[in-house]
Amino acid sequence: MEYSGFNTGLLHGKTSTGYSQREILPPVSQVTAFSYESMEELEKVFAHKSMGYAYTRIGNPTLTAFEQRINELEGGAGAVCCSSGMSAITCALLALCESGDEIIAGRGLYGGSINLFHDLEKLGIHTVFADVINRENVEKLVNEKTRAVFGELISNPSLTVMDVAGASEAAHSAGIPLIVDSTTATPYLARPLSMGADIVVHSTSKYINGGGNAIGGMIVYGGKFNWDFEKHSALSEFKKYGKMAFLLRLRTDLWENLGGCMAPANAFLSYIGLDTLGLRMEKICDNALKLAKALDLTKGIDVNYLGLSDHPYHAYVNKELNGYAGGILTFRAGSKEKAFRIINSLKYALIASNIGDLRTLVIHPASTLYIHTGIEEREAAGVYEDTVRVSVGIEDAEDLIKDFTEAIENSDTGG
Ligand SMILES: *Cc1c(COP(=O)(O)O)cnc(C)c1O
């Protein structure tokens, strides 16, 4: 069956059925281990000679159900779900890089990812940063030590957009895979593998789960990269799997050894959250555009939203993002004090360090997510002393607009 619509495909895709007792959802296999009739059977499972589960850290049917569904949505060759988005990014990078290797990354990254690149530095893996990941910057920064190019499709919270096609061509001609963190875009806005990316990572904690009830991450591999095993010596033991070496190293080696599996209950919660991704993204993006337009007309407020026609990356909304501009906007209030006053007087937006929830969430990134990041690096990530980040939810747009405009007015009078 082929479906033309996103929601129909999501609900009736080939990986959405086939559970053992005809359940309409995957059962939650909330177990640590799986038992077998004989030692011979379990031996076969460990030797990868028969399909089966042994121990949840190395595989679990609820995790498989969630992996297969995201893999189908992204058009991948296989996916591995992880305990968090950070775990997914760590696994994907460590599968490709060894001490002495280099990564090219976009500067406007999620704070946790910036911190991870600092940790990798201590393991001898060096990152060079580009203002944005595009053809020109990859060509400029690539060298014989580069092993991966990493960027966020829509960076959180700077809201720059990667040029996936251009960057992947430049990376591929140097024998390097392109990894796209598509957390903020979601498969509803973009399918990076179809645009040239080789690996997609998600924090499923955000829009994919949608309800704010489970941390999780996912790595999806496109299956098409031609590995040069001398260059990517981190994969050399998996050479016999050819193009699939990356996925095999993850699945049978790094992912299980680092111990970052997703909890089965979290896989279930994220699976059911995913059911409404299309509906939520539609409403969230519509609300975000309406709120951004209203804030843009508000005196003293400088709004950053991809959907506004004067945004420097606005052209990508139609070029890469299916006509949508995402659910995150930021604005500069003029001072940290004013930013705090506005945030504190909002009625509906919750003050919380998350994005992609059903509820509108708001935060002052400089004093939270970027508190351990140096000023220069923080500002390069689009976070200033007076920046407020809003993750727009599915409330009624009129209520959100009223709430924000009133909070801004009150903040002027010090009220
Ligand atoms: C939240 C986030 C992450 C990290 O995900 P966790 O699930 O919190 O570990 C990575 N990248 C982006 C773009 C994010 O928004």
Side-chain angles (χ1 to χ4, degrees):
M1 280 188 285
E2 281 290 331
Y3 302 97
S4 49
F6 180 90
N7 289 311
T8 313
L10 176 59
L11 295 172
H12 301 285
K14 56 180 182 295
T15 57
S16 306
T17 52
Y19 304 119
S20 63
Q21 302 301 319
R22 300 184 167 272
E23 297 92 341
I24 60 165
L25 292 170
V28 186
S29 298
Q30 188 65 29
V31 295
T32 308
F34 300 78
S35 70
Y36 286 80
E37 290 295 322
S38 69
M39 198 46 238
E40 285 79 3
E41 280 179 45
L42 187 55
E43 182 183 30
K44 277 190 200 140
V45 170
F46 267 80
H48 304 294
K49 288 197 175 120
S50 82
M51 292 287 285
Y53 297 95
Y55 188 67
T56 286
R57 175 164 49 70
I58 46 184
N60 175 291
T62 316
L63 273 57
T64 304
F66 185 41
E67 285 165 347
Q68 289 183 342
R69 213 165 168 221
I70 299 274
N71 185 57
E72 185 178 351
L73 267 186
E74 291 287 4
V80 176
C81 74
C82 303
S83 56
S84 67
M86 288 317 304
S87 166
I89 296 170
T90 306
C91 269
L93 292 171
L94 289 183
L96 298 174
C97 300
E98 294 174 324
S99 175
D101 291 345
E102 271 187 24
I103 298 165
I104 299 173
R107 213 183 291 279
L109 292 179
Y110 175 71
S113 301
I114 294 181
N115 297 342
L116 172 67
F117 287 118
H118 291 169
D119 294 331
L120 294 181
E121 205 71 46
K122 297 191 178 119
L123 300 178
I125 300 167
H126 178 60
T127 303
V128 288
F129 289 97
D131 285 337
V132 63
I133 296 295
N134 58 21
R135 182 193 304 273
E136 194 190 351
N137 286 338
V138 171
E139 281 171 355
K140 201 161 65 193
L141 296 172
V142 79
N143 64 37
E144 73 286 351
K145 292 185 193 157
T146 312
R147 294 295 175 271
V149 177
F150 176 89
E152 289 171 16
L153 186 46
I154 306 174
S155 66
N156 166 21
S158 64
L159 307 181
T160 57
V161 184
M162 277 175 80
D163 168 14
V164 179
S168 66
E169 281 169 24
H172 292 167
S173 59
I176 311 297
L178 176 68
I179 308 176
V180 174
D181 179 338
S182 196
T183 300
T184 47
T186 80
Y188 189 67
L189 270 59
R191 293 166 78 237
L193 297 176
S194 72
M195 297 190 270
D198 303 288
I199 297 160
V200 174
V201 292
H202 283 288
S203 165
T204 63
S205 324
K206 316 291 175 54
Y207 295 97
I208 285 179
N209 172 286
N213 57 43
I215 296 283
M218 188 72 74
I219 308 168
V220 187
Y221 176 51
K224 298 202 177 109
F225 194 80
N226 269 318
W227 303 101
D228 166 350
F229 294 98
E230 271 169 36
K231 191 186 224 3
H232 283 97
S233 47
L235 296 178
S236 57
E237 275 179 56
F238 296 84
K239 195 172 170 175
K240 69 173 180 200
Y241 299 104
K243 289 183 179 174
M244 295 305 280
F246 171 76
L247 197 62
L248 267 292
R249 173 154 200 228
L250 272 185
R251 176 66 74 194
T252 64
D253 181 56
L254 202 64
W255 173 77
E256 70 175 61
N257 295 339
L258 288 178
C261 75
M262 185 183 273
N266 281 4
F268 178 77
L269 290 170
S270 307
Y271 184 106
I272 58 177
L274 179 62
D275 284 344
T276 56
L277 179 70
L279 271 185
R280 285 183 284 108
M281 289 313 288
E282 193 90 44
K283 177 72 174 166
I284 284 172
C285 294
D286 186 49
N287 276 354
L289 183 60
K290 286 179 176 152
L291 181 60
K293 283 183 173 164
L295 292 176
D296 202 31
L297 297 174
T298 309
K299 217 172 92 241
I301 297 294
D302 185 10
V303 189
N304 180 16
Y305 182 61
L306 273 180
L308 297 177
S309 56
D310 59 354
H311 193 283
Y313 291 89
H314 182 66
Y316 283 94
V317 168
N318 285 325
K319 196 174 149 204
E320 287 190 349
L321 302 171
N322 208 12
Y324 295 96
I328 298 175
L329 63 88
T330 67
F331 63 87
R332 296 187 63 178
S335 69
K336 175 177 174 180
E337 293 67 31
K338 189 168 166 188
F340 272 39
R341 283 203 299 274
I342 294 171
I343 290 173
N344 291 342
S345 64
L346 287 165
K347 267 197 306 237
Y348 302 122
L350 306 179
I351 304 174
S353 136
N354 189 17
I355 56 169
D357 199 283
L358 297 162
R359 302 150 195 87
T360 295
L361 308 176
V362 64
I363 201 162
H364 180 256
S367 58
T368 52
L369 311 166
Y370 290 82
I371 193 167
H372 302 301
T373 312
I375 293 188
E376 221 171 286
E377 206 171 10
R378 193 190 80 202
E379 294 195 345
V383 175
Y384 301 90
E385 271 303 299
D386 61 342
T387 301
V388 176
R389 183 187 72 185
V390 186
S391 168
V392 179
I394 64 162
E395 297 92 343
D396 299 290
E398 311 74 60
D399 293 330
L400 290 178
I401 291 170
K402 188 158 182 282
D403 196 14
F404 276 85
T405 46
E406 282 180 3
I408 291 165
E409 269 168 38
N410 292 343
S411 75
D412 283 333
T413 56

